[in-house]
Amino acid sequence: MLFKSLLIVGCLGLLVSCGENWDKESDEVVENPQPAPTVYYEPVLENELVTSDKYIAELKANETLIITFTGKVSTQLFSPIYQRSYPSGWTDRECEIRGPICRHCDFLKRRICWDRRRSGSCNLKYRNFDGMNENDIIFSDNLNETKLRVKIGGNLYPLGKIIDYSAISMTTEFKVSEEMIQESSEAYLSIVPDTNHGDVRIGFLGYGSCFGHGKRKFYHGGSTASSSRKNQASRAYKVNVSFKKIK
């Protein structure tokens, strides 16, 4: 009988302690977890062909641009100097002295002249412009070699820092500072021109061996038209630009 009484008291004690623990747990306040920041991208330019200044957007301080691009470089092709032969012609002046103009004036003689047409051949020198040679721009970890810049006001800025690149593609992150937009907030993509290695004359360059050159009424059957072209590479970029946003 005593054992049963002790058993009942023990069970009641356990129930009381369990109730106390339950009340303590129910009094605890569970805080709602804060969602993690979400990064998203807002497109500005998509597959845009850039060959000169291209408007991006108006920028604000602390904004971030993600710029992905590929590029092509085109170089001038010129032929070697070559010669072509054409028929040439000119006029020679021929004269002869004939007898006196009267019977008693031996010292007064007649000089009779006439033009005689001559013909020959003439070699003319030429150079041709053979078009452009286009190749992919090969990128490295040196951003300056791309010659692509962000232009704000009168200043050109490198494209920030490289976040991904391969031989023919590059992605950079450009962060806008307060100093950059003091003069203007309008941003453009701009290309630094390649060096001009001098003007190259194409078409007619001059004469080689040429019969009659410098003679009266000289002519030939070739063209003497010529012009000049800059010996300078040009670049074009396919560009995607997005704002990096955090939500």
Side-chain angles (χ1 to χ4, degrees):
M1 188 70 178
L2 179 61
F3 176 76
K4 288 183 177 180
S5 299
L6 292 172
L7 184 60
I8 291 170
V9 171
C11 289
L12 289 173
L14 287 173
L15 288 173
V16 170
S17 65
C18 288
E20 289 176 355
N21 291 335
W22 179 266
D23 290 341
K24 288 179 181 178
E25 290 178 3
S26 63
D27 290 340
E28 292 179 1
V29 178
V30 179
E31 296 182 358
N32 293 326
Q34 295 296 322
T38 302
V39 177
Y40 67 98
Y41 300 92
E42 186 179 288
V44 181
L45 299 176
E46 295 185 282
N47 290 322
E48 195 73 35
L49 180 63
V50 177
T51 57
S52 59
D53 286 1
K54 180 67 183 179
Y55 178 72
I56 302 173
E58 288 197 13
L59 302 180
K60 298 176 182 177
N62 301 318
E63 286 185 317
T64 300
L65 295 175
I66 302 298
I67 306 169
T68 300
F69 53 94
T70 59
K72 300 280 187 181
V73 59
S74 299
T75 53
Q76 314 265 353
L77 294 177
F78 300 99
S79 74
I81 297 174
Y82 62 92
Q83 290 192 137
R84 283 188 177 171
S85 182
Y86 294 94
S88 63
W90 66 96
T91 297
D92 278 340
R93 187 77 167 169
E94 295 184 356
C95 298
E96 72 175 28
I97 304 298
R98 296 194 176 178
I101 59 175
C102 62
R103 183 177 299 178
H104 303 289
C105 47
D106 292 340
F107 59 93
L108 293 175
K109 299 203 175 174
R110 293 179 296 173
R111 185 171 182 265
I112 299 176
C113 298
W114 63 93
D115 290 337
R116 186 182 296 276
R117 294 296 300 162
R118 303 289 188 186
S119 62
S121 63
C122 184
N123 293 317
L124 276 63
K125 297 178 181 179
Y126 294 96
R127 180 193 287 121
N128 296 336
F129 170 63
D130 290 340
M132 306 293 288
N133 182 34
E134 185 179 83
N135 292 291
D136 289 322
I137 296 175
I138 304 302
F139 298 119
S140 69
D141 58 358
N142 185 353
L143 265 179
N144 290 329
E145 293 178 355
T146 69
K147 296 186 178 292
L148 190 62
R149 302 287 187 273
V150 174
K151 181 179 179 181
I152 306 174
N155 299 313
L156 293 175
Y157 298 96
L159 300 181
K161 70 175 182 179
I162 299 172
I163 58 177
D164 186 32
Y165 84 94
S166 65
I168 61 172
S169 177
M170 182 174 286
T171 300
T172 68
E173 185 177 82
F174 180 83
K175 293 186 177 181
V176 184
S177 69
E178 190 73 46
E179 292 76 13
M180 290 178 179
I181 56 175
Q182 291 295 319
E183 181 183 339
S184 172
S185 61
E186 292 186 345
Y188 297 80
L189 286 171
S190 187
I191 300 173
V192 177
D194 281 77
T195 301
N196 178 16
H197 297 288
D199 291 348
V200 177
R201 186 177 173 188
I202 57 174
F204 175 69
L205 302 182
Y207 295 98
S209 59
C210 184
F211 289 102
H213 184 223
K215 300 284 189 179
R216 293 175 61 241
K217 297 183 180 179
F218 168 73
Y219 72 90
H220 56 77
S223 171
T224 56
S226 66
S227 61
S228 293
R229 292 187 68 95
K230 290 182 178 180
N231 188 14
Q232 183 178 22
S234 60
R235 294 173 186 254
Y237 293 89
K238 273 286 186 71
V239 184
N240 292 287
V241 179
S242 300
F243 281 109
K244 182 181 179 181
K245 303 280 188 178
I246 299 177
K247 187 176 180 181

